[in-house]
Amino acid sequence: GIEYIDSYVFNKVEYIRFNSTVGRFVGYTEHGVKNAEARNSDAGILGQEQGELERYCKHNADIDYSAILDKT
């Protein structure tokens, strides 16, 4: 399967991440945890991130797999 991860980094430290397998944001710092709670309670933001797996990942995976398979 395909997993979509959207990481947010500040000063080289990841503070929040959306993971499509989990289906929600996870915070890794105090600031990130607060951000994750806010984003997870916003259906619009959550839905947009969840849609990226279909919109971006699966679309591009099909193109990439075709390009690889055409060369074998």
Side-chain angles (χ1 to χ4, degrees):
I2 297 174
E3 182 176 60
Y4 169 71
I5 294 175
D6 191 6
S7 296
Y8 296 78
V9 177
F10 181 75
N11 282 346
K12 300 181 182 179
V13 176
E14 182 180 29
Y15 67 96
I16 187 173
R17 173 190 295 181
F18 176 83
N19 181 317
S20 66
T21 302
V22 178
R24 50 196 294 111
F25 289 90
V26 177
Y28 295 101
T29 65
E30 184 178 349
H31 178 69
V33 169
K34 290 177 183 176
N35 270 265
E37 289 172 359
R39 290 170 185 246
N40 287 330
S41 65
D42 186 320
I45 292 175
L46 208 53
Q48 184 176 350
E49 287 283 1
Q50 291 167 338
E52 289 298 293
L53 180 65
E54 293 292 330
R55 186 194 71 77
Y56 181 79
C57 297
K58 291 185 177 178
H59 170 74
N60 285 299
D62 289 342
I63 292 169
D64 292 342
Y65 287 142
S66 295
I68 292 167
L69 294 175
D70 288 345
K71 292 187 179 1
T72 58

